[in-house]
Every structure is written in C-alpha cells, then in structure tokens.
Amino acid sequence: MSVAAITPDYVGERRDRLENFHGNQIVYVGWDRHLMFCSPVAFALPPETPFSKLQDEVIPGAFSQHPDFAEIDWSAVVWHLNGAPFLPSRDKSLIEQGVDHKSIIRMATPGLNGIKGSGS
Amino acid sequence: MSNRKINMKEKYRLLTRDLDWEYSYRDYKEVFPQQEFEGIKITDWSKWEDPFRLTMDAYWKYQAEKEKKLYAILDAFSQNNSQLNVTDARYVNAIKLFLTGISPGEHQAAMGFGQVGRQLGGVGARVACQMQAIDELRHVQTQIHAMSHYNKFFDGFQDFSHMHDRVWYLSVSKSFFDDARTAGPFEYMVAIGFSFEYVLTNLLFVPFMSGAAYNGDMATVTFGFSAQSDEARHMTLGLEIIKFLLEQHPDNLPIVQRWINKWFWRGTRMLSLVAMMMDYMLPNKVMSWQEAWEVYFEEAGGSLFKDLARYGIEMPDYAQTAIAEKEHISHQVWSMFYNYGHATAFHTWMPTEKEMDWLSEKYPNTFDKYYRPRFEKWREMEAAGERFYNPTLPMLCQTCQIPMGFTDMEDPTSIFYRQSEYDGERYNFCSDGCKDIFDHEPEKYVQAWLPVHQIYQGNCGGPSMEDVLGNYYKINLGVDNMDFHGSPDEERWNIWHNLQPAEDKLKQAS
Ligand SMILES: [Fe+2]
Ligand SMILES: [Fe+2]
Ligand SMILES: [Zn+2]
C-alpha cells in the first residue's frame, strides 16, 4: 500500500515530472559550509548543459557574493552527486554524467570554511 | 400536558446522544463510508466518553458572551489608536506572519472538523467535532477582525487569503493542513486533535499571545484570552480520541503510533516558523524558543507520553532530533527568511547588538559559534549598502516544503540531505522524519505543490520575479517586502513617534 486511500489502487499525479519543465530539468547545488546561503539552491537547466557552463556561469551567479568565492581553487573542489563522490568532466553535459532531474550536486572547498570559519 | 422541566443530565442526553438514530433503510457502511479504509477498528462507539459536557444551547450562550467582550475591547483598541502603543513597528511583522500563516490554518481546521464530524460513526464524537469546527471558524474570524485594525496602518496584511494558496513559505502551513484534511477521519483526529492541539498547541499560542502581551498588542492578547477556553476543550477532545482508539482494539496501536510520529514531526517542522518569530521578531522577548520547547514539549510532553505508556504509546520517533534542534532552528529559519526577504510579505532585519547579546546568552552552545559571525557579516553588508539577498530560488523539502536549511545535529554546519527514489524519480528531504512520511505514502506526496518547482514550471505568473512576487503573489514590491530598515512601515512609525532613523542621527552628529 503506497497510500491510505478510499479508492483502490489510488495513483497520485506526479507533479514534478521532467516533461512539466519545458525542456529543463531541476538541478540543486549546495556549497558545503557556506550557510550564508541558507540552503542549497535550485536551477532549471537543459539536461544538455555542459558542466563547464554550470561551473563558470550558473554557480557564480548564485554564490559569488560570498567573500570565499573568489578564493576557490577549482582544481581542489570536492564534488558529490546525490551523495556519492563525483568527478565531473567539464566538456560533458549534465545528463551524460548522470546529473538527472532533481539531482543534488554538492561542492566542498577545502580550506574555505565560511565567514571566520563558522561554516557560514 | 405536563410541562415538566428537564434536569441537566437529561437535557444533555437529549441534545447529544439522543440526536442519533438507527439506520433502518441504509446500510451503516453506506452512511459512514470512510470509517474503515485506514485500518482502524471500532467495536463500540458507545464507549466514547464525551470530553466536555456541553450542549449546543449552552455553547452558543457561552460563546456569545465571549464575543461581546472581545469586540468591546477591539473597538476600544481602534478608537484609542492603540497600534501606536506596540513596542516598535518591527513587532507588527510577527502578526503579519500570524494572519498569513496561522489564521488560514484555523479555517482549514474548521473545514476539517466539519468534514470529520460527518464521517465518524459515534454521535458523541460527531457533536464534539461540530463544536470544534465552529470554534475554529470563530478563531479565524476573530483573528481577522483583531488584526484588521493593523491593516489600516501597516503594509502586508491586505491579501492574506490570496497569498495563502500561493506564497512559498505559506505553503508550509497550507500543505500541513491539506495533508491532514486529505487523510481519513481518524488520522485527521490524531493529526489535528491530538498531535497539534494537545502536544504542540502551547508552542504556538504561548509565543504569539505572550509575545503580544509583552509588546503592547492588546488586540491579539484579547483574542488569545477569548480562544483559551476553546483550546482547553480541544485538548480534551484530542486526548479522548487517542484513549478511545487505543481502548477499542489492540490493532489500532501501531497505526496510531505511526500517526503520532508523523504529525509530531510535521508539527515541529511547521513550528520552526514560530521559533524564529519568538527569537527574532519580538522586540520585547518573552523567553527563548529553546526555553519554551523545554517547558512545553520536554516537560509537559514528556509527562504526557509517560501517561500514554500504559496504552503502549511511545515518545514519537525523532523526538531526540527535535530536542537537539532546539538550539538551532530559530537561527536557521530566520536565516532563510533573511535570505529571501525580497520574497516575503513581511519585513526581515538583522538583530541589534543588544539583541545579539540576548541570543548569545540564551544559546550559549550555538549562537556565537555558528550564527553570530554570519549575522555580523550581513550587518556589515547592509551598512555598506549591499544588504544580502539570495539571488537563487531555494531547494525545498518534498514533505514539509521548507527550504533545505536544517543541518545535521552531529555536524551542525552541514546541511542534512536525504533522498528517495520512487517510480523512477528522485525526491529530496530535509530530515529522516520527512523522508519516512514520504516513503510510507509516496502516492500522496508525489503530488506536492512545491512553490519553487511551480515557478520553474511557469505556473506562477511568469518568469520574472516581478511576475511571481508582484502579480501572482500580490506582494506590493518595495512596500510589503524587503528589509524593515528603509521600509514605508518604518518611515511612518518614525513620523508618528517623532523618531529619527539611526542613519540620520549619525549624519547629523558628524
Ligand atoms: Fe483554533
Ligand atoms: Fe484549537
Ligand atoms: Zn522536511
């Protein structure tokens, strides 16, 4: 039983199906230990978006207000995709490397731990 | 014909139990079609003990007297321009949150009890639900009346009912009640009657009503008093439903326990909005959220669950997580609202130095270590003319619909991430509690109307922030939203009280 319902075999509408996003998919990005951004953020992007575009254009638009952002050594960033270690390749698209609809990308920036090291 | 006067006991019987009748030409199951699908077993409705010995005629009389007093005080409040007597204009934002976030919930509760009152097979329970439905309707009405006076002088009140169905943070309370009302009648009773009214209600009303008293808001205080005797009745009903279900059949225990787990967790998530109100929005503080939590949940709730142990009921799952979070959630949720203060129908601000010291004192383990540096940075940015707003929409939890801003209590600077895959799609959660709720009934929560996803699907007025916030939400941009400093609310307040904004004073001094 996947829901207690008065109708037998009740099926709910999947409200966030990929098709509902007009060619985009949802991708979440969180920057570890930088809680000045209170939560991970959500983008709607074409699945074919190259990772380089995410890194060079989309992520800076979200996080560049943080003083640590300019200090990031991008070669040292540790990435996670849906909880598992992830080595993105810049030239491949999101979908080619498994970043599918409603996936979570986390980036950790070793040595950068937010305002006065507080995780903010 | 004898004109005998009936005694109270007889009158009570006639006006409650005697309202029922035998169904002679319809099957009982046809009359009460929702009574079985949740798996609850009722063997004998006559064992229901009416939690309050009140008949409808006495109820009307009693409530009418309360109304009369309430409206007399509200009239006096407005005639005396008592809005000028609140501590400062920041306080009014707490009641904006109340009117937009809580009052529509009262209306939802009214509809829920009305519906459930039709579906329960026992007449005693039906009469009790009827009274509570009317109480809840009275609550939403009196709240609207109490706050309508503020609407004449402050921004952000005008479209509360329109906003309730649309605005991102109001979806937290809307989805909470939608969830309860779309459940079966017994789950609704455990959700709203017991978990909310009994276990958590003090954590809602004490912060708002004492907050009002401490901040000179007699209108809201008076409403609170007028609702108090209703709440006492609601609590007795909540407790009776639990006892009744558990005494009816041993098979009910695991179902009831799961509902308590679920609704405790949903309730604490929703109350995190009250936590931030208490610690950040009241210029005169009552007590900290942590203190309120300790008194009303850890002590009062603790002894309640000790009492219920004889029925086999245990402390809700994740009570320990909620207890650990008491030192964090108000700061985390205020951070969320500060991040998205451009998208709220009330104002946000950074605490003053004195207020920060109060927070340090009340939260010695967490405030200075995790939150003060962030807030000082934001204050610096504001002073430099770059008040921080988060430019990107937040990721939301599929169940509670709050931005994913809660952290791991084992590692408080890391966001807590949980994910499920269901029928080929990913779903994301802020906590194990929210994930468990989804995993048990995914066909329900796949339907969640998540405001951020709805915006990206193009269902909220258009692609730009003006479309969404201005046209679709009906926030008056630059008036209802943004920081308190520089707001029309602040400006008017300063004129009424001949106050100078802090910046002007600095300019004159230099
Ligand atoms: Fe109420
Ligand atoms: Fe109530
Ligand atoms: Zn959640």
Side-chain angles (χ1 to χ4, degrees):
Chain A
M1 190 176 66
S2 53
V3 68
I6 199 159
T7 318
D9 306 318
Y10 176 91
V11 174
E13 178 193 347
R14 277 102 180 103
R15 207 176 288 276
D16 292 326
R17 292 196 317 272
L18 182 60
E19 306 87 90
N20 295 355
F21 290 86
H22 312 291
N24 289 326
Q25 66 175 30
I26 296 293
V27 177
Y28 304 111
V29 178
W31 182 9
D32 285 3
R33 304 203 197 277
H34 287 80
L35 295 172
M36 182 166 119
F37 306 98
C38 61
S39 64
V41 292
F43 301 108
L45 299 168
E48 304 76 36
T49 308
F51 197 88
S52 57
K53 187 171 173 186
L54 180 78
Q55 183 182 320
D56 303 345
E57 292 173 34
V58 178
I59 289 177
F63 297 140
S64 61
Q65 290 179 78
H66 198 291
D68 278 356
F69 193 81
E71 312 292 315
I72 295 175
D73 170 3
W74 288 94
S75 63
V77 171
V78 178
W79 302 91
H80 280 84
L81 174 62
N82 295 317
F86 176 50
L87 282 175
S89 72
R90 285 180 52 83
D91 313 327
K92 282 193 185 160
S93 72
L94 297 174
I95 197 70
E96 273 177 298
Q97 43 197 326
V99 182
D100 53 12
H101 186 42
K102 295 198 273 171
S103 279
I104 303 169
I105 293 174
R106 266 173 53 205
M107 53 181 244
T109 48
L112 298 176
N113 291 311
I115 314 291
K116 296 182 181 159
S118 67
S120 286
Chain B
M1 216 173 117
S2 75
N3 191 11
R4 92 183 157 96
K5 205 166 157 33
I6 50 176
N7 67 30
M8 279 304 288
K9 203 175 160 208
E10 174 68 358
K11 186 173 156 189
Y12 176 77
R13 193 192 63 79
L14 287 168
L15 286 173
T16 53
R17 297 297 170 105
D18 197 50
L19 293 174
D20 207 9
W21 63 89
E22 292 292 318
Y23 308 100
S24 54
Y25 59 94
R26 286 288 185 197
D27 185 53
Y28 179 83
K29 281 189 187 175
E30 248 184 300
V31 180
F32 300 108
Q34 297 185 12
Q35 259 206 143
E36 284 176 5
F37 77 94
E38 299 172 273
I40 289 291
K41 293 177 181 152
I42 305 294
T43 52
D44 183 3
W45 269 111
S46 78
K47 295 273 161 45
W48 172 274
E49 277 185 47
D50 296 344
F52 24 91
R53 305 257 146 180
L54 194 60
T55 57
M56 248 334 168
D57 60 334
Y59 173 81
W60 287 126
K61 209 173 132 214
Y62 186 56
Q63 298 296 73
E65 275 164 23
K66 288 200 297 187
E67 294 281 271
K68 232 192 265 167
K69 278 186 212 148
L70 172 66
Y71 284 101
I73 294 175
L74 293 184
D75 278 348
F77 185 84
S78 63
Q79 277 163 23
N80 293 328
N81 276 319
S82 303
Q83 78 282 357
L84 295 171
N85 299 336
V86 300
T87 38
D88 79 51
R90 291 180 307 165
Y91 164 74
V92 178
N93 293 286
I95 55 176
K96 294 177 194 176
L97 183 64
F98 193 93
L99 182 69
T100 55
I102 311 285
S103 302
E106 303 271 18
H107 186 233
Q108 291 246 57
M111 291 188 284
F113 278 103
Q115 176 194 1
V116 166
R118 165 63 185 82
Q119 294 297 339
L120 298 176
V123 66
R126 290 210 299 278
V127 171
C129 285
Q130 180 190 21
M131 282 180 201
Q132 184 156 355
I134 300 168
D135 281 349
E136 302 298 1
L137 201 55
R138 195 178 84 85
H139 293 174
V140 62
Q141 285 178 338
T142 49
Q143 285 165 19
I144 292 166
H145 287 149
M147 291 178 214
S148 66
H149 182 70
Y150 287 101
N151 180 41
K152 299 176 192 161
F153 301 94
F154 297 90
D155 299 316
F157 287 97
Q158 67 284 345
D159 279 308
F160 71 96
S161 80
H162 173 91
M163 288 180 185
H164 180 245
D165 292 337
R166 292 166 178 78
V167 176
W168 61 279
Y169 53 94
L170 302 177
S171 80
V172 175
S173 67
K174 178 180 162 63
S175 69
F176 176 93
F177 279 100
D178 283 351
D179 189 352
R181 288 178 55 210
T182 52
F186 294 112
E187 181 176 349
Y188 179 86
M189 291 301 285
V190 172
I192 306 302
F194 177 72
S195 303
F196 199 69
E197 295 276 1
Y198 200 99
V199 186
L200 299 173
T201 200
N202 279 329
L203 284 163
L204 178 65
F205 277 91
V206 173
F208 274 106
M209 299 312 148
S210 323
Y214 273 59
N215 287 278
D217 173 11
M218 287 323 286
T220 303
V221 171
T222 311
F223 155 74
F225 277 128
S226 150
Q228 215 165 37
S229 53
D230 300 347
E231 295 310 334
R233 253 186 296 114
H234 302 173
M235 290 176 78
T236 0
L237 176 57
L239 198 57
E240 173 59 22
I241 189 77
I242 289 290
K243 290 182 173 167
F244 176 71
L245 291 179
L246 296 171
E247 282 167 2
Q248 283 290 306
H249 202 286
D251 289 356
N252 293 343
L253 175 63
I255 303 175
V256 170
Q257 178 74 56
R258 188 170 46 71
W259 286 338
I260 292 175
N261 296 344
K262 168 181 170 180
W263 289 98
F264 166 77
W265 188 256
R266 290 219 64 171
T268 53
R269 272 294 177 254
M270 189 164 78
L271 287 175
S272 65
L273 273 70
V274 180
M276 72 138 182
M277 186 286 298
M278 204 173 180
D279 283 344
Y280 287 90
M281 299 175 82
L282 298 177
N284 273 353
K285 316 285 187 201
V286 180
M287 55 167 91
S288 69
W289 170 257
Q290 177 177 346
E291 289 165 328
W293 176 264
E294 285 165 355
V295 174
Y296 297 108
F297 180 71
E298 291 178 31
E299 286 171 33
S303 58
L304 166 69
F305 281 98
K306 243 177 242 155
D307 276 356
L308 292 174
R310 68 194 146 107
Y311 295 104
I313 289 288
E314 291 167 6
M315 236 358 198
D317 279 356
Y318 307 119
Q320 288 314 316
T321 308
I323 289 170
E325 285 184 343
K326 70 188 173 187
E327 296 185 81
H328 294 273
I329 51 161
S330 65
H331 321 302
Q332 295 181 348
V333 176
W334 189 242
S335 293
M336 296 175 200
F337 281 87
Y338 190 82
N339 264 242
Y340 295 103
H342 48 311
T344 53
F346 59 87
H347 300 298
T348 47
W349 57 85
M350 270 298 105
T352 63
E353 195 54 45
K354 219 176 117 200
E355 287 166 341
M356 292 242 217
D357 292 343
W358 181 84
L359 290 160
S360 301
E361 184 198 315
K362 293 295 181 183
Y363 294 96
N365 302 323
T366 55
F367 187 73
D368 285 352
K369 192 169 170 193
Y370 301 115
Y371 304 104
R372 187 188 270 268
R374 182 188 311 174
F375 291 177
E376 284 175 350
K377 172 71 186 167
W378 281 339
R379 271 220 308 231
E380 249 171 55
M381 290 174 76
E382 186 191 343
E386 290 165 4
R387 199 285 197 188
F388 175 72
Y389 291 105
N390 193 322
T392 321
L393 302 181
M395 174 183 185
L396 305 178
C397 170
Q398 182 79 22
T399 304
C400 69
Q401 308 199 1
I402 299 175
M404 293 268 301
F406 299 107
T407 60
D408 186 345
M409 288 301 106
E410 318 257 283
D411 178 11
T413 59
S414 282
I415 296 287
F416 197 88
Y417 291 95
R418 282 293 179 273
Q419 194 174 69
S420 292
E421 280 186 50
Y422 177 70
D423 195 23
E425 197 169 322
R426 296 180 193 283
Y427 295 92
N428 296 293
F429 310 97
C430 73
S431 54
D432 286 320
C434 283
K435 178 175 154 53
D436 282 359
I437 293 167
F438 177 92
D439 288 346
H440 188 76
E441 288 188 286
E443 289 296 337
K444 186 169 199 179
Y445 301 97
V446 294
Q447 304 172 62
W449 194 93
L450 295 181
V452 169
H453 293 176
Q454 289 300 313
I455 291 170
Y456 281 138
Q457 288 181 31
N459 297 334
C460 301
S464 76
M465 283 319 261
E466 286 72 37
D467 292 330
V468 175
L469 302 177
N471 299 335
Y472 185 71
Y473 287 179
K474 288 199 188 175
I475 292 175
N476 291 321
L477 300 179
V479 176
D480 299 340
N481 62 344
M482 313 299 276
D483 203 282
F484 175 74
H485 299 296
S487 68
D489 267 6
E490 181 193 44
E491 198 184 313
R492 281 189 301 264
W493 181 262
N494 287 341
I495 293 170
W496 297 335
H497 289 87
N498 280 319
L499 296 174
Q500 280 178 309
E503 304 90 82
D504 291 1
K505 272 190 216 159
L506 276 176
K507 266 183 229 147
Q508 280 174 2
S510 61

